[in-house]
Amino acid sequence: MKELEKTKRISISAVLFLLIIIIGFLTYKKPKYIFKNSAETTLKEIVKKDYIVSANQLNSLNSSDYVLVDVRSVYDYDKGHIKDAVNIPLAQILTDDSSAFIDNMMNENKTVILYGEDPDEASSAWILLYQLGYENIKILSVKPRFEDNKLYVDNVTIEKPAMNFAEVMKKATSSSGIAKKTKLAKADKSKAAKKVIIVKKKKKRVPEGGC
Amino acid sequence: MSKRYKSKKILVKTEYKFLAVLMILMAAGLFFLPEKIDNEGINPEEFVLNILKSDRYISTDQLAERIIDQDPTLLLIDTRSEEEYNAFTLPNAVNVPLEKLLDEDYVSYIDQDNYDVVLFSNDNYFADQAWKIGNRKGFKSVYVLKGGLNEWFNTIINPKYPDESMPETAFKLYDFRKAAGMYFGVGAPKSETKKAIPKKVITVKKKKKRVAEGGC
């Protein structure tokens, strides 16, 4: 009798043990998108800067070797885009359609060249895709803008200082000519500003009265 | 008696044998499990959401205000090269060149909770990339100076005088920027102009109080 109970207990625990393992396998979910390149390798790639393509370099490329991808919103894309560009908004890169498209391009050995509102936006998409393991991807250093309903694509030099900061600072701190001018300007503004303040006071008194 | 005992022993043994074999098989199965794939830091979906948000940007005016207030939680990081850093940088900024961002010596500047880290470069391109790498690693409270030093010089050091048609706020902003510029050493600061600006600030505060009174 005792032995029977013992074997029963053993078989019950064995069944439970198996069940737990089966449930574990069934509920195990593999993440859909995985970062294949670490932050460190991505940083190394960023510093190399050879993923940046200028408009001139683009013209010298064979158009069958690359595909342009516009990462701006659908609205901006519909307003106007570079010829033959495909629209994949940044927010929709991690969708089945987009990754299928990019996979296709990679299989065809085409370079995907990204551009956005500015190189920052394109670089966001680039960092994401590079970390996901796509390496044949570049960005176009341009800034599209609209004028009279026409799309203009300006070249941008990334991280170019607008001036020699140290020199400008030196001049600004030493030269008295600039200082005088600013002082004059300041007298004008302070008057203007004061006037406006008075107007505001009046406005505020009205709600006080209402209380 | 002894015979019975023996048969019982065998019975028990086979039961245990079955379980033991099962356990060994499962243990052996562990060797054939695929390598565990996991994302280091955050996962791609979260990363995209973070990139799309623009709350990582801090404007030059906000930064100037925090520097002038001597905010103790502010930590400025210059992501440009060493030469550029030596030529000019913002007050109390630490130089962490972009390529050395994840080096052991430097990463502790960015990966900590005590300070609000503000990254900057000439434009905001490098700073933004540094932010993205940091975000991937899960670093918190890191910000990017919008427009970088170019914007800093266009707004704080050399602000544009607003048009007459512009709203009052544009004039106020100009005054603030001029005052801030003086704090950072522009022109020969004279006491009278310096005094004028704090006065304005005080009047603004009074206004706010009045509104509260009215709301009684």
Side-chain angles (χ1 to χ4, degrees):
Chain A
M1 196 60 194
K2 251 189 180 176
E3 296 305 322
L4 199 72
E5 244 172 46
K6 213 177 193 178
T7 48
K8 243 189 196 170
R9 237 187 273 158
I10 289 169
S11 49
I12 287 170
S13 53
V15 167
L16 278 178
F17 182 69
L18 276 175
L19 264 179
I20 288 168
I21 287 167
I22 290 166
I23 290 169
F25 267 108
L26 288 180
T27 52
Y28 177 71
K29 215 171 125 196
K30 208 179 132 193
K32 202 172 174 191
Y33 297 99
I34 293 151
F35 282 143
K36 284 181 188 138
N37 285 323
S38 70
E40 283 79 2
T41 45
T42 312
L43 184 63
K44 267 182 205 153
E45 195 65 26
I46 287 174
V47 176
K48 266 198 246 161
K49 285 194 211 165
D50 54 6
Y51 65 92
I52 301 170
V53 176
S54 70
N56 290 334
Q57 284 171 303
L58 186 75
N59 289 334
S60 64
L61 284 174
N62 193 343
S63 64
S64 60
D65 289 343
Y66 68 86
V67 60
L68 275 170
V69 171
D70 189 329
V71 298
R72 296 174 306 157
S73 64
V74 181
Y75 175 76
D76 286 333
Y77 176 82
D78 285 344
K79 242 166 98 183
H81 55 82
I82 301 178
K83 205 186 153 208
D84 296 331
V86 180
N87 185 218
I88 303 181
L90 182 54
Q92 280 160 32
I93 285 184
L94 294 183
T95 55
D96 292 339
D97 289 351
S98 317
S99 32
F101 174 80
I102 295 165
D103 280 334
N104 249 338
M105 290 301 122
M106 295 291 117
N107 290 337
E108 286 177 29
N109 233 343
K110 279 187 178 178
T111 309
V112 171
I113 300 181
L114 308 161
Y115 76 90
E117 221 172 284
D118 47 30
D120 288 348
E121 199 182 32
S123 123
S124 294
W126 184 89
I127 287 184
L128 176 68
L129 288 169
Y130 186 83
Q131 291 187 111
L132 286 172
Y134 299 105
E135 311 217 340
N136 198 4
I137 294 200
K138 297 198 184 318
I139 72 167
L140 193 60
S141 60
V142 293
K143 203 168 183 172
R145 94 190 132 84
F146 271 96
E147 217 166 81
D148 302 331
N149 268 335
K150 253 188 172 178
L151 181 80
Y152 291 90
V153 182
D154 300 336
N155 247 321
V156 178
T157 313
I158 287 167
E159 282 294 323
K160 187 186 170 195
M163 57 198 102
N164 187 337
F165 297 131
E167 238 168 61
V168 171
M169 238 8 238
K170 222 179 176 183
K171 267 188 196 164
T173 46
S174 62
S175 79
S176 54
I178 293 170
K180 265 179 197 167
K181 270 180 200 166
T182 55
K183 263 178 233 158
L184 280 174
K186 205 162 260 167
D188 293 345
K189 309 154 249 155
S190 55
K191 270 178 201 166
K194 266 176 198 164
K195 270 176 202 164
V196 185
I197 289 166
I198 293 162
V199 174
K200 264 209 165 175
K201 271 179 194 164
K202 274 179 196 165
K203 268 180 196 164
K204 260 163 204 168
R205 267 174 206 161
V206 177
E208 272 171 37
C211 168
Chain B
M1 183 71 189
S2 66
K3 235 186 183 179
R4 219 180 129 197
Y5 175 74
K6 215 180 176 182
S7 67
K8 254 193 267 167
K9 204 178 172 187
I10 289 162
L11 185 80
V12 173
K13 254 190 180 168
T14 47
E15 283 294 330
Y16 281 131
K17 256 184 207 164
F18 169 71
L19 272 183
V21 168
L22 189 75
M23 291 288 264
I24 288 167
L25 278 177
M26 298 227 124
L30 284 176
F31 286 106
F32 301 103
L33 278 179
E35 199 184 325
K36 200 194 173 204
I37 310 161
D38 216 350
N39 284 309
E40 169 209 2
I42 62 172
N43 59 36
E45 286 85 351
E46 213 182 327
F47 184 67
V48 173
L49 288 179
N50 290 342
I51 287 178
L52 288 169
K53 276 189 243 164
S54 57
D55 57 0
R56 63 172 175 276
Y57 293 117
I58 171 170
S59 74
T60 46
D61 298 314
Q62 285 170 309
L63 181 68
E65 204 174 332
R66 287 183 75 166
I67 295 175
I68 293 167
D69 289 347
Q70 296 182 332
D71 189 337
T73 61
L74 185 71
L75 178 62
L76 280 166
I77 302 276
D78 190 338
T79 60
R80 300 172 306 154
S81 66
E82 212 170 302
E83 299 107 67
E84 284 174 298
Y85 172 80
N86 288 335
F88 173 80
T89 194
L90 294 179
N92 296 327
V94 181
N95 186 216
V96 180
L98 183 62
E99 65 268 23
K100 291 179 183 160
L101 184 74
L102 296 175
D103 283 10
E104 254 178 68
D105 303 341
Y106 293 100
V107 77
S108 52
Y109 282 118
I110 325 264
D111 184 17
Q112 37 86 10
D113 303 326
N114 301 329
Y115 296 98
D116 283 349
V117 178
V118 176
L119 304 166
F120 68 90
S121 50
N122 287 334
D123 199 338
N124 55 17
Y125 187 78
F126 282 167
D128 209 41
Q129 284 186 319
W131 182 91
K132 283 164 198 156
I133 295 290
N135 190 267
R136 156 79 196 281
K137 297 278 263 179
F139 300 167
K140 296 268 151 51
S141 64
V142 183
Y143 301 88
V144 174
L145 179 64
K146 182 84 186 159
L149 285 176
N150 287 341
E151 187 71 8
W152 178 264
F153 271 80
N154 287 334
T155 53
I156 305 299
I157 303 301
N158 193 16
K160 223 176 151 188
Y161 187 68
D163 219 272
E164 286 301 326
S165 62
M166 280 170 137
E168 183 207 354
T169 46
F171 285 89
K172 274 192 179 164
L173 188 65
Y174 178 78
D175 284 347
F176 167 76
R177 284 173 173 173
K178 262 294 175 223
M182 275 182 194
Y183 179 89
F184 295 109
V186 177
K190 272 204 171 180
S191 55
E192 49 171 43
T193 43
K194 252 194 175 176
K195 271 174 196 167
I197 290 124
K199 264 179 199 164
K200 268 175 210 160
V201 179
I202 292 162
T203 53
V204 172
K205 271 181 190 167
K206 271 179 193 164
K207 271 188 217 161
K208 271 178 194 164
K209 270 174 201 162
R210 270 178 204 161
V211 174
E213 278 166 32
C216 68

